[in-house]
Structures are given as structure tokens and as C-alpha cells.
Amino acid sequence: MRFGIKTLDEFDVRGKTVLCRVDINQPVDREKGTLKSINRIRACVPTVRELSDKGARVVLLAHQGSDIEYKNYYTTRPHAAVLSELLGREVKWIDDVCGPAARDAIRALKDGEILLLDNVRFVAEEQTLFEKKLRLSHAEQAKTLLVTKLAPLADLYVCDAFAAAHRDQPSLCGFEQLLPSAMGRLFEQEYCAVSQVMEQPERPCVFVLGGAKIADAFEMMQTVLSRGVADRILTGGLVGNIFLCAQGREIGQGSVDFILKSNYGEFIDRAKELCAQYGEKIAVPCDLAWVENGERQEAPLGAVPAHIAAVDIGAQTAAQYREVILAAGTVFVNGPMGVFEQTASEYGTKTVWQAIAETKGYSVLGGGDSITATEKYALTDRMGYICTGGGALIRFLSGEELPVVRALRHAAQRQEGDNVQ
Ligand code: ADP
Ligand code: MG
């Protein structure tokens, strides 16, 4: 047991049918039918390999969204081929989720064999819950089609999908109500890494927050500041622009328009409140960069032209942030410092990411775009811990008990209760 959740060490899985929920949701190239990245598939390999090596009959459940706002779900077929390649053993795949064909395929599995089912979000209950049109309790999720059809075929449920641990859906929180349940190795590892930041960070503990997920970023800042976890927050990207706006600095009309157009106006007030309460802990950019005729331009605050849209922190800010990161005991990173996808606006992110790679402090980095930046600058092996989760990670650091963690804990308590009787 760890964090009140059972681990794979507590189960003998030989000859057992194990339903294993993974998060291998990756950016897809819909036209070519290929995956643009495979880092999450790679991350779940240890758990799948261990289960298969130990002689379990492994049934993998997974979802795949698309690049367009979670709509247009896509098949998991390409994932099976990639996983097969990474494992060096066959991964069967079936174009069914919990219908008769899927159930027959599960029954036909032999010890050590692996089967990936098609996208669980093809099943309506998983989808509508996702879209928050329908809220089901965990007990009600146990009565959904997916869970009632698959649970009777299985001996154990394993959740290795930390990246989806903030989702309250049947494939993630329903099986725990009926089956003995454990977290997989990746889940365990990610939980440990993020707990370390939250519970006992080496000081100073520095948060590097950029990017464009504003609501999440503010929620997290509030928690880590009020709990005394963060000693310093370095802001960049859209987050930084909002703070500068709150301080009444000139950041260019393009930047302001972007904030208002994205409906982030209310966060300017939130930023004012945070500054009033925790001012000295929050670092804001001292210079900004924008792009004009394809060329990068920079100016210190006070000299930023009125019409521009700031798309990166400036070189001065990057240098200051670099020093803070190098002196940190812990660095938590989510969200790039600018629009790093374009060469003219990548300097801030590149410099800060380089410092994160160089620091002796323990670094934890998460978020799809933050990981893409890490890969772009070839720093993957030099970061402390790269978390596959973005939303889950932030929600965790906001102090929320994640629905999947709650479901797994509940299952462990129930199992302990059964053992006592
Ligand atoms: P992550 O995926 O790492 O959690 P986000 O999704 O929150 O990060 O933010 C990444 C996106 O934010 C990138 O596409 C990047 O181009 C964009 N971005 C960064 N800085 C700015 C900025 N100043 N203005 C607009 N968009 C920005
Ligand atoms: Mg992103």
C-alpha cells in the first residue's frame, strides 16, 4: 500500500484477467492515420510488460481524443502497433470496446497475452460524462454498460492513467467499485513525484508558470502560495501578461485584446489579489518580446510599443529567471514562457528550459506543450521528472483529491475490510 492505494506488489496476477486503464492519448495525424508523439505509450510500457511477464491476461482500456477540443474521437488501432513495437511482443487489437466481439477476445486471451480495446470514449456513457452533461457517482458508474459488461470477465482492475486521474468516468472510477484494484507503476511513480513537490519540497521551491491554461494556473497558484509550498513563482506566457496587466503595465494592445478575447479578463482581478497578498513571491517579466515582419523585437517594460502583442518574455527576464532556477531546491514547471513553436518567440522558453535542465534542484515538468518544448530542445533526459499528466497534475497541485485516487482508495479500504471479515 502506498498513499492508501494498493500497488501491483500486492497481487499475484498469473492466469488472472487484468483490466488495465492506461492514458495513451497522443496527438494524431488524422490524414496519415499516425501518431505525432508516442511518449505516453512509452511511459506505460513498464506496467504492461510487468503484468504480461507475470503471466496476466492483460486487457488495456484507453481513450484517444483529437487535437480539436477533445471532439472527434479516434481509434486506438495505431497505438497497438506502437506498443507492440516498444514491448517487442504482440499486442492484439479489436475494433470493439465492450460488445460481444470484445468479450470473446478477452475470454480467448492466454496467460501473458495483451489485448488493446478500441477507444473507450466510443461508449456513450464515457463520452457524456466527459462532456459533463451527466454526472454519475462512482456507484452509478459501476452500473454503466462498460463496467457491467467487462468487470465480470476480470479478476483485477489496474489504473495506470495518472494523466487522466482528474476525470470522473466509468473506465477510470467505475471498476474500483466491483473489482480488487491497484495503481500501476507509472501511476505510482507520478503520484510520488508530484507528492514530493507538495509535501516536502527542497527549498527554495520555485514554480515556473507560463502557457495559456489560465484558470488552472490561478487555481494552483492560490493553493501553493496559501499552503506555503511555493517560495517563488516565475510567470511567463499568457500568465505573465495577465499579471503585468494587473499591475497596470503597458503590454501592448494586442496582448490586452488577446486576454479579453479569451475571456480571461476576470483573472486580471485575481492577479491583483494575489499580488496584494503574496507580492514578493510572484516574479513578473521585466521585458517582453513581440514579432514584427517575422523578426523578434524586445523592449523593457515602459518602452513596449502600444500596439504589439507580447509573445515571449524578453532576454533580461529570461536571464533573471535562469538565476532563480539554478539556485532552486525544487522546480515545478507547467506552461512555456512564450509561443515557443515559432523561432522568433522561442528564446524565453529555450533559455528557461535550459536552466531547468542545468539546475541541481529536483525538477518536475508536466503539460503537453511543456513536454513538446522539452523534446524540441533535446532536454528530455536532463529533467528531473517528466509527468505525462497536464490537467491531472495541476488539479493535484491545487489540493483537490483526484476522482481516480478517491476510487482507488475506496477499493483498498473495501478490500481491507473484506480481509478482516
Ligand atoms: P501545457 O500544454 O504545457 O500545459 P499550455 O497548453 O497551458 O501549456 O500552453 C501552451 C500554449 O501557450 C502554447 O501553444 C503557446 O504557444 C501558448 N503561449 C505561450 N505564451 C503565449 C503568449 N504570450 N500569448 C499567447 N499564447 C501563448
Ligand atoms: Mg497545452
Side-chain angles (χ1 to χ4, degrees):
M1 288 266 265
R2 223 168 170 189
F3 310 110
I5 299 173
K6 297 222 177 233
T7 71
L8 290 184
D9 294 327
E10 283 148 89
F11 295 92
D12 177 9
V13 296
R14 180 161 307 281
K16 301 277 165 57
T17 300
V18 177
L19 295 178
C20 179
R21 175 64 158 97
V22 290
D23 188 337
I24 47 175
N25 184 30
Q26 303 272 203
V28 289
D29 184 327
R30 302 174 72 81
E31 296 197 344
K32 291 195 201 131
T34 54
L35 304 175
K36 291 193 208 158
S37 165
I38 58 165
N39 66 304
R40 280 185 173 165
I41 305 185
R42 190 174 283 125
C44 78
V45 163
T47 299
V48 180
R49 190 190 297 285
E50 178 176 341
L51 289 170
S52 165
D53 281 349
K54 288 181 170 169
R57 304 166 179 206
V58 189
V59 182
L60 299 174
L61 297 134
H63 73 280
Q64 174 62 56
S66 86
D67 296 348
I68 320 156
E69 297 184 332
Y70 305 111
K71 291 179 202 140
N72 307 313
Y73 306 112
Y74 197 78
T75 175
T76 59
R77 184 171 207 157
H79 308 63
V82 173
L83 187 57
S84 195
E85 176 97 24
L86 292 173
L87 281 165
R89 65 188 75 167
E90 186 191 7
V91 175
K92 297 174 193 288
W93 179 83
I94 186 151
D95 62 343
D96 188 15
V97 183
C98 58
R103 299 198 308 268
D104 282 346
I106 293 172
R107 286 192 200 95
L109 283 175
K110 299 191 184 68
D111 295 359
E113 286 187 343
I114 305 159
L115 168 72
L116 173 63
L117 302 173
D118 211 345
N119 192 342
V120 286
R121 286 194 186 154
F122 288 159
V123 180
E125 287 155 327
E126 189 87 2
Q127 234 185 80
T128 42
L129 275 184
F130 179 66
E131 287 166 331
K132 299 201 168 69
K133 289 191 180 127
L134 176 67
R135 280 230 158 255
L136 294 183
S137 67
H138 290 178
E140 287 165 332
Q141 288 179 33
K143 295 181 186 144
T144 56
L145 185 78
L146 181 80
V147 179
T148 51
K149 292 294 179 192
L150 298 187
L153 304 180
D155 303 291
L156 174 67
Y157 173 77
V158 171
C159 188
D160 210 24
F162 188 79
H166 57 310
R167 303 264 178 236
D168 211 340
Q169 299 171 337
S171 74
L172 290 151
C173 303
F175 291 104
E176 288 94 329
Q177 312 302 312
L178 304 173
L179 292 171
S181 302
M183 58 182 166
R185 297 301 183 197
L186 175 65
F187 197 109
E188 193 179 339
Q189 201 183 43
E190 309 227 286
Y191 197 154
C192 278
V194 294
S195 296
Q196 196 177 325
V197 174
M198 204 62 176
E199 309 295 334
Q200 34 187 222
E202 283 293 322
R203 304 285 175 178
C205 179
V206 176
F207 280 67
V208 179
L209 295 183
K213 282 202 289 291
I214 303 304
D216 286 342
F218 273 81
E219 206 55 44
M220 177 165 80
M221 277 189 275
Q222 183 71 48
T223 308
V224 295
L225 286 166
S226 65
R227 291 192 182 183
V229 175
D231 297 310
R232 207 77 201 281
I233 294 185
L234 309 178
T235 64
L238 211 51
V239 181
N241 287 355
I242 290 175
F243 272 98
L244 289 172
C245 223
Q247 296 179 358
R249 309 303 303 246
E250 172 67 77
I251 58 169
Q253 195 54 43
S255 312
V256 178
D257 288 346
F258 191 84
I259 293 169
L260 299 179
K261 189 183 74 192
S262 314
N263 285 325
Y264 292 145
E266 61 169 297
F267 291 101
I268 297 175
D269 289 333
R270 295 267 304 265
K272 277 184 196 156
E273 287 163 23
L274 284 175
C275 286
Q277 217 177 337
Y278 306 104
E280 76 292 351
K281 292 192 171 174
I282 302 170
V284 297
C286 65
D287 57 352
L288 291 171
W290 66 98
V291 179
E292 226 163 70
N293 303 323
E295 298 275 327
R296 181 186 179 89
Q297 310 284 334
E298 285 196 11
L301 289 181
V304 173
H307 65 279
I308 61 108
V311 285
D312 194 13
I313 57 172
Q316 285 286 345
T317 307
Q320 285 175 6
Y321 284 6
R322 178 180 160 80
E323 293 309 313
V324 176
I325 291 165
L326 290 179
T330 307
V331 189
F332 173 83
V333 192
N334 182 249
M337 296 289 102
V339 183
F340 71 97
E341 295 91 338
Q342 280 149 32
T343 315
S345 46
E346 72 169 346
Y347 181 84
T349 306
K350 196 172 177 177
T351 307
V352 165
W353 258 231
Q354 185 68 39
I356 299 161
E358 281 175 38
T359 184
K360 293 199 173 62
Y362 175 62
S363 58
V364 175
L365 178 142
D369 294 291
S370 300
I371 293 174
T372 305
T374 310
E375 288 168 354
K376 184 173 178 192
Y377 306 127
L379 297 172
T380 305
D381 297 335
R382 298 178 56 198
M383 299 300 188
Y385 190 78
I386 296 182
C387 194
T388 58
L393 182 64
I394 294 173
R395 242 27 98 67
F396 185 93
L397 290 171
S398 301
E400 216 182 275
E401 186 176 38
L402 303 173
V404 177
V405 168
R406 185 155 49 87
L408 286 167
R409 283 209 180 113
H410 175 83
Q413 281 164 5
R414 203 191 55 236
Q415 285 159 246
E416 294 295 299
D418 289 351
N419 290 345
V420 171
Q421 276 165 17

